[in-house]
Amino acid sequence: MVRQDVKDEVIYLRSAGVDLGKRFLVACARTPNPKRSGSWSLETEQFGTTQAELRRLLAWLLERQVEVVVMEATSDYWRAVYYLLQPQLNLMLVNPAHLKGIRGRKTDPNDAAFLARAGASGMVMGSFVPPQAIRELRDLTRRRTEITRAAGQEVQRLEKELEDTGFKLSAVLSNIVGASGRAILVALVNGERDPERLADLAVGRARARIADLVGALDGNFTAHHAFMVRHYLDAVDHLNNVVATFDARVAELLAGLERDLDLLDTIPGIGRLAAEIIIAETGGDMAQFATAHNLASWVGVCPGQNESAGVNRSGTTRHGNTNLKRLLGIAAMAAIRNKDSYLAVFFRRIAARRGGKRALVAVMHKLVIAIWHVLHDHAPYRELGADYYTRRDPQRAIRRMTKEANSLGLTVRFDPIEAT
């Protein structure tokens, strides 16, 4: 028998549900019936989605003295409604997947009434909606990510154009729009065709591969290719300039959070850019998440649960915050590159049993736990070391080494090292 102590949900006597749409919405107020004790009156009204109609909705809800208003996070239609109602009402934005009506009985009034009933009985939990300053920061960081990806796509198109000429510049240079690559491309656009002169434009470490560059720059570069290369270079430069303006704006909004950014920078795989995105997505205030595991669940890097009749089946992770999950995937791959770190050892232990993909998600989960503690405790990341598991359970490490030696037909003996 399992016993748990649970907290009873608050029952709201007056609640409302709002079913959202693009052109109109339906609101249902659920209030006690004054003529019959223990029963409820449902009043339904349709409103437009213009600001004037939303103000009428606000007055309508205030007149009925509702204690909670529940609405689903439908596309982006909830934003204007939420922002206008939230300052004066107790608003709950809920995940549509958590509220599924009865099949065959779905209408807008029924959906609004179902939301009102769910809110009154405490069946739903509100989603995390950050304050306006964090929402603005989110817009900036997400748009900056989109522009950065667009710049990368322009570089890929430039590489395809060079393949059309027979040049293999990307096989020699890791970044064809870096200092060496750009110097060579600009010279090509300006009319230079001699491979040796072009290769001699390389700078830095690329000069060690001048012989390879001479062979890679042997091709047929025409006037059409020069026009297209100039176009792609201009597009990349334009997008990089836009990213620089976004960087300045983001830095301006994060001026008071330098300490949190520096603390996040101590986590393996997390740099300044990643720290800015983490603050923008989570708000930086861990009071919104009761525990580190609550944050991991919100991000979507927790193991899924699929248990029925005592049988545990494989469960997938939830979608969570896709922007933060994508960033954590990149950070995890960077963190495990240091072979002598705790995260790298943890990755190899999980990958040996469950495979590389699951192990990478496990590392992402570890990073989220570290992010929560760093922002909650305002303390830097503490590296446990590659020998953490050995120090935690020395006997297990001895058994593993003995088993490996026996598999090779060898026997080993462990003697303590005498202190000198």
Side-chain angles (χ1 to χ4, degrees):
M1 181 178 69
V2 178
R3 179 177 178 178
Q4 291 180 315
D5 294 327
V6 298
K7 182 180 178 181
D8 290 337
E9 299 291 347
V10 176
I11 304 299
Y12 297 99
L13 295 178
R14 294 174 173 270
S15 63
V18 179
D19 185 68
L20 301 172
K22 182 177 182 179
R23 293 179 291 105
F24 66 89
L25 57 86
V26 176
C28 177
R30 186 178 187 268
T31 56
N33 188 342
K35 297 181 180 180
R36 187 177 179 182
S37 177
S39 62
W40 308 89
S41 297
L42 299 180
E43 186 178 355
T44 305
E45 181 74 19
Q46 180 173 309
F47 300 86
T49 54
T50 62
Q51 288 295 299
E53 283 289 284
L54 295 182
R55 286 191 288 268
R56 186 168 73 89
L57 168 66
L58 174 61
W60 188 81
L61 293 171
L62 291 174
E63 182 181 353
R64 281 141 188 85
Q65 300 178 354
V66 296
E67 300 171 89
V68 63
V69 181
V70 180
M71 65 175 65
E72 292 180 333
T74 306
S75 184
D76 289 324
Y77 304 147
W78 63 271
R79 294 179 181 273
V81 183
Y82 187 94
Y83 299 158
L84 191 142
L85 300 183
Q86 191 270 335
Q88 301 188 52
L89 293 170
N90 178 20
L91 218 58
M92 294 180 64
L93 183 71
V94 300
N95 190 335
H98 296 169
L99 295 170
K100 292 292 186 181
I102 300 175
R103 186 184 298 273
R105 297 184 183 178
K106 186 183 183 312
T107 64
D108 292 340
N110 284 350
D111 287 347
F114 181 71
L115 290 172
R117 185 167 64 253
S121 60
M123 292 171 53
V124 292
M125 295 184 298
S127 299
F128 167 54
V129 180
Q132 181 178 355
I134 299 300
R135 294 199 301 265
E136 293 175 355
L137 184 62
R138 270 188 182 182
D139 287 342
L140 291 171
T141 55
R142 291 180 179 182
R143 180 55 182 163
R144 181 178 62 180
T145 300
E146 293 173 353
I147 297 172
T148 303
R149 293 171 63 186
Q153 291 171 351
E154 292 297 330
V155 174
Q156 291 175 341
R157 295 185 181 103
L158 171 59
E159 183 179 354
K160 289 180 63 177
E161 191 68 30
L162 292 177
E163 290 292 331
D164 189 65
T165 68
F167 285 4
K168 298 296 181 180
L169 190 61
S170 60
V172 180
L173 300 179
S174 59
N175 183 10
I176 61 174
V177 293
S180 298
R182 182 173 288 271
I184 293 172
L185 293 175
V186 170
L188 283 167
V189 171
N190 293 335
E192 181 61 61
R193 298 292 183 271
D194 186 4
E196 293 185 356
R197 292 181 180 178
L198 292 171
D200 192 53
L201 296 174
V203 296
R205 290 184 298 176
R207 294 197 63 83
R209 306 196 64 184
I210 287 182
D212 296 332
L213 283 172
V214 172
L217 293 171
D218 184 10
N220 182 25
F221 196 91
T222 65
H224 169 71
H225 295 136
F227 178 85
M228 294 301 295
V229 167
R230 181 73 271 172
H231 162 70
Y232 289 129
L233 289 176
D234 290 343
V236 171
D237 290 340
H238 168 69
L239 293 173
N240 288 338
N241 290 334
V242 174
V243 170
T245 61
F246 273 75
D247 288 338
R249 178 61 177 167
V250 169
E252 180 181 345
L253 295 181
L254 290 173
L257 298 173
E258 288 296 331
R259 174 170 169 76
D260 288 340
L261 294 172
D262 292 339
L263 290 174
L264 288 172
D265 198 11
T266 63
I267 302 175
I270 304 294
R272 172 76 184 201
L273 187 65
E276 292 176 351
I277 296 176
I278 291 170
I279 295 293
E281 295 298 331
T282 64
D285 183 10
M286 293 298 103
Q288 299 290 342
F289 308 97
T291 66
H293 297 288
N294 288 121
L295 176 61
S297 177
W298 179 76
V299 175
V301 293
C302 272
Q305 292 181 331
N306 185 9
E307 183 268 335
S308 180
V311 178
N312 286 303
R313 300 179 179 87
S314 177
T316 60
T317 58
R318 51 195 298 270
H319 292 294
N321 187 307
T322 55
N323 298 282
L324 196 50
K325 188 186 291 188
R326 184 188 310 114
L327 171 71
L328 289 172
I330 299 173
M333 288 187 288
I336 62 177
R337 289 179 182 173
N338 182 5
K339 304 301 182 183
D340 296 328
S341 66
Y342 163 74
L343 291 177
V345 174
F346 174 76
F347 172 81
R348 292 195 293 269
R349 285 167 61 95
I350 301 298
R353 305 194 315 266
R354 306 299 302 277
K357 291 183 179 180
R358 283 189 172 93
L360 191 65
V361 175
V363 174
M364 293 164 60
H365 184 269
K366 289 287 187 182
L367 289 176
V368 173
I369 301 300
I371 289 170
W372 188 90
H373 284 285
V374 164
L375 293 177
H376 181 268
D377 303 335
H378 300 288
Y381 174 82
R382 182 169 60 91
E383 172 61 42
L384 297 178
D387 60 343
Y388 169 76
Y389 291 104
T390 302
R391 289 185 285 105
R392 188 181 69 172
D393 191 352
Q395 295 301 320
R396 181 178 179 180
I398 291 174
R399 289 194 301 270
R400 177 178 55 80
M401 288 184 283
T402 303
K403 182 178 179 181
E404 291 179 357
N406 292 341
S407 66
L408 297 174
L410 303 174
T411 183
V412 293
R413 184 180 66 184
F414 296 95
D415 295 325
I417 300 177
E418 296 181 1
T420 58

